[in-house]
Amino acid sequence: MRRPLRQIFAASAAKFACMAVGIALGLLLCRTAVLWQAQLDLGRYATQLLRLGEEAAAETQRVLREANASPVPFCSDADIARLRALAFRSRYIKGVGRLREGMLACSGTLGRLPAPLALPPPSLTGPAGLRIHSGISLAMAPQLQATVIQSGNASVVMGTDIYGGVVPAPFGYTVAVADRDAGRIVRGWGDELDLPASAVLQGGALNAGGFLYRSACSPQVALCAVTRISVAEALARAHTAFWLFGVLGGALALAAVQLGVMLWGRQQPLERRLRRAIRQGGLTVVYQPIVDLHSGAAVGAEALVRWRNEQGLPISAEVFVKVAEDRGFIGEITRFVLRDALGELGAMLQRVPGFRINVNVAPSDITESWLLDELRRNLRAARVPPGQIGLELTERSTAERAVAVDAIARLRQAGHRVYIDDFGTGYSSLSYLNELNVDALKIDRSFTRTVRPGAEAPSIVPQIVEMARALNLDVVVEGIETAGQAEYFRAMGGQIRGQGRYFAHPMNARDLLAWVYARRPPAPAPAAAP
């Protein structure tokens, strides 16, 4: 029956509303991520500026110290040449001069001045008597302003482009000289700074006046570096990301709605759909070969049940098997696997007498009388002896000792080999394994994964193998995926069999037949007639 238009419109409106919310959340997430990344960039640039400033400060102190220790007469030709050489060998200093009574008397760049040049009062007095003059117009280039630092009777002119290229557009920066005791800063390089000194000296991330700031102060020298970018510019750099996040947010929200509707609609009828799949042949059986590790011959295969829903999507066996166990109809799946396996592989089992198909049996199955009846009926129809159908029981199946011992005895008396599947996964049947009187152990894949070439093998693996040998049990190793793992277990000697993707993935009956026949030894040639 068709839904009323009102319901259709309501459902569509709900989807569009969820999509709008998803777009909004995507944009908000993108904005947060972009601003967070901008703060990271600001922090990185501030650190680079500070590192450069510390190098320049160290060089400045060295040059001032050497200039003040000049051994030649004040402002002599030799002194001026020496000042010029100091500047030439420096990376961050453009000029070195001499002071008399606080006024510039000569420099390596200007030579001897006709009249001493007075400088304005220092902008800030730093440690060890350093006098910092900010924004001084250069005599040779009045349009340029530089930072001049004086100590004793020497002065240096710092380069105006010390930090050029460190901070790319649209980021801005300021490097300031700091007087922490007085709580003052003086801009030395970069842009004018519209932040209080206390905020700069405190350091860290700031967000003020539509700008993001990052301040970092050196613990070694009296310098602070501040980087900034406007929020609008930071967001504009990521306009493509905004489109992508918006579209992705909307798509994810819509997908979440669809998934929620699908899960809500299918959660309840899973049991019903599984029962229908069993009745209508919706389940399939695949087979994963078991090989002899020494000869490489295929000696058997484990039958595994698979289910794809009406949309062709695979449903995990762990999920639907548990549903069947909890609801009490796991026996129907076991019956299906027995019928399907013997129906598909009965002829091959007749031709290859040593080959065995293993079927998993649920804990609730082993005490049921129908299990042996079903086995006899299907074996009789396929004309296959009982020994070619092995039964795999989990350790959970053997948790109740008395029940398990009796059930296993009946299965073995009927001619079937019994395996303990996933051995070592936590049910402590080890203490009474001898009483169970099974035929073989299947070592769980979790132990196999610990085996790697060149690494020490976990001690539990050889212990399990030795225990199995002491009890005269066969061993099948599950989950072998590499040549190194196969070689590790092969080197243990004895009759050890392996199962895993290294040998073959689970396959359908037709592929299994081809796989098995391809590994059979060639038939001997007929004897010549006398």
Side-chain angles (χ1 to χ4, degrees):
M1 188 172 82
R2 298 180 61 183
R3 292 188 297 170
L5 288 177
R6 184 188 306 171
Q7 293 184 9
I8 295 175
F9 287 141
S12 299
K15 289 181 180 180
F16 280 118
C18 289
M19 188 165 60
V21 170
I23 292 173
L25 289 175
L27 294 176
L28 178 61
L29 177 62
C30 182
R31 186 180 192 277
T32 303
V34 168
L35 297 183
W36 178 72
Q37 181 60 51
Q39 280 288 4
L40 291 181
D41 293 338
L42 289 171
R44 184 170 69 254
Y45 296 143
T47 300
Q48 293 174 358
L49 291 172
L50 208 56
R51 188 179 302 117
L52 199 59
E54 290 171 347
E55 292 178 4
E59 182 179 84
T60 299
Q61 292 172 357
R62 177 184 59 78
V63 171
L64 286 171
R65 187 168 54 251
E66 292 184 15
N68 278 308
S70 176
V72 298
F74 185 87
C75 282
S76 63
D77 290 344
D79 193 21
I80 292 173
R82 190 169 182 275
L83 298 177
R84 188 179 300 118
L86 283 174
F88 182 78
R89 292 197 301 267
S90 300
R91 178 179 179 184
Y92 305 107
I93 293 172
K94 299 302 181 184
V96 185
R98 283 273 186 221
L99 303 174
R100 177 177 284 128
E101 297 178 357
M103 294 187 292
L104 183 65
C106 65
S107 76
T109 304
L110 300 175
R112 280 182 295 275
L113 299 180
L117 181 63
L119 293 177
S123 306
L124 187 145
T125 300
L130 290 177
R131 301 178 298 280
I132 295 101
H133 300 263
S134 177
I136 300 299
S137 296
L138 299 178
M140 295 183 63
Q143 72 277 13
L144 296 179
Q145 292 187 334
T147 297
V148 176
I149 301 177
Q150 300 175 337
S151 176
N153 67 351
S155 70
V156 296
V157 178
M158 305 297 296
T160 58
D161 61 347
I162 291 177
Y163 303 99
V166 174
V167 180
F171 294 89
Y173 76 93
T174 302
V175 177
V177 183
D179 185 348
R180 293 185 178 86
D181 295 334
R184 295 183 57 219
I185 60 171
V186 173
R187 180 183 68 88
W189 298 265
D191 308 316
E192 293 290 343
L193 189 60
D194 189 20
L195 279 178
S198 59
V200 174
L201 293 171
Q202 182 180 358
L206 301 169
N207 190 339
F211 281 84
L212 302 176
Y213 295 92
R214 192 64 176 258
S215 173
C217 295
S218 171
Q220 303 172 9
V221 298
L223 285 178
C224 291
V226 181
T227 50
R228 77 170 193 280
I229 188 172
S230 72
V231 173
E233 288 173 321
L235 297 177
R237 295 170 69 223
H239 62 279
T240 302
F242 270 93
W243 280 103
L244 292 176
F245 269 75
V247 172
L248 181 61
L252 288 176
L254 190 59
V257 171
Q258 295 286 71
L259 180 62
V261 170
M262 182 179 67
L263 292 177
W264 177 260
R266 294 181 180 178
Q267 183 178 9
Q268 297 301 322
L270 180 61
E271 175 188 348
R272 185 166 62 251
R273 290 185 296 117
L274 177 56
R275 288 182 182 273
R276 184 169 61 248
I278 296 172
R279 290 195 306 270
Q280 298 178 358
L283 303 182
T284 58
V285 179
V286 295
Y287 306 89
Q288 186 165 34
I290 299 172
V291 304
D292 183 284
L293 291 182
H294 297 284
S295 66
V299 295
E302 180 181 358
L304 303 167
V305 64
R306 295 290 185 261
W307 178 31
R308 289 183 176 272
N309 64 13
E310 294 85 346
Q311 287 72 38
L313 301 175
I315 307 296
S316 169
E318 292 183 359
V319 172
F320 70 80
V321 167
K322 187 176 187 308
V323 169
E325 285 185 336
D326 292 345
R327 300 299 183 180
F329 63 98
I330 186 64
E332 297 182 32
I333 295 180
T334 306
R335 288 186 177 93
F336 165 78
V337 173
L338 286 171
R339 289 195 301 268
D340 212 56
L342 285 167
E344 292 181 318
L345 302 176
M348 185 267 284
L349 292 174
Q350 293 175 21
R351 289 193 291 271
V352 188
F355 200 85
R356 181 178 296 109
I357 299 296
N358 288 357
V359 177
N360 291 281
V361 179
S364 58
D365 288 345
I366 63 171
T367 58
E368 297 292 332
S369 59
W370 64 261
L371 178 60
L372 280 173
D373 294 338
E374 192 74 21
L375 284 164
R376 294 189 190 98
R377 184 163 48 251
N378 285 282
L379 288 168
R380 190 181 307 115
R383 288 186 281 185
V384 172
Q388 288 188 268
I389 294 295
L391 302 174
E392 296 190 7
L393 314 178
T394 62
E395 286 189 86
R396 183 158 58 95
S397 305
T398 66
E400 295 185 24
R401 182 182 311 192
V403 174
V405 169
D406 184 59
I408 291 171
R410 289 198 303 272
L411 294 173
R412 296 189 75 232
Q413 187 177 4
H416 300 284
R417 291 179 65 83
V418 177
Y419 298 70
I420 298 296
D421 193 16
D422 301 330
F423 184 79
T425 53
Y427 276 89
S428 301
S429 57
L430 179 63
S431 60
Y432 59 98
L433 187 60
N434 194 33
E435 296 179 42
L436 294 178
N437 198 25
V438 295
D439 297 281
L441 299 181
K442 297 190 74 176
I443 297 178
D444 186 68
R445 66 185 66 248
S446 61
F447 295 108
T448 309
R449 280 196 294 266
T450 64
V451 174
R452 297 181 181 88
E456 287 191 19
S459 60
I460 190 65
V461 172
Q463 287 177 2
I464 293 176
V465 173
E466 288 304 318
M467 177 201 63
R469 287 173 176 166
L471 297 176
N472 198 28
L473 302 177
D474 290 341
V475 174
V476 179
V477 182
E478 297 180 307
I480 294 180
E481 297 188 354
T482 67
Q485 291 170 343
E487 179 57 33
Y488 171 83
F489 287 103
R490 186 182 298 116
M492 286 187 172
Q495 189 176 38
I496 298 182
R497 295 170 178 177
Q499 178 182 2
R501 296 179 181 178
Y502 174 70
F503 305 108
H505 289 253
M507 60 188 75
N508 59 33
R510 182 182 60 187
D511 293 340
L512 177 69
L513 291 173
W515 194 88
V516 171
Y517 288 137
R519 283 157 180 77
R520 291 185 67 190

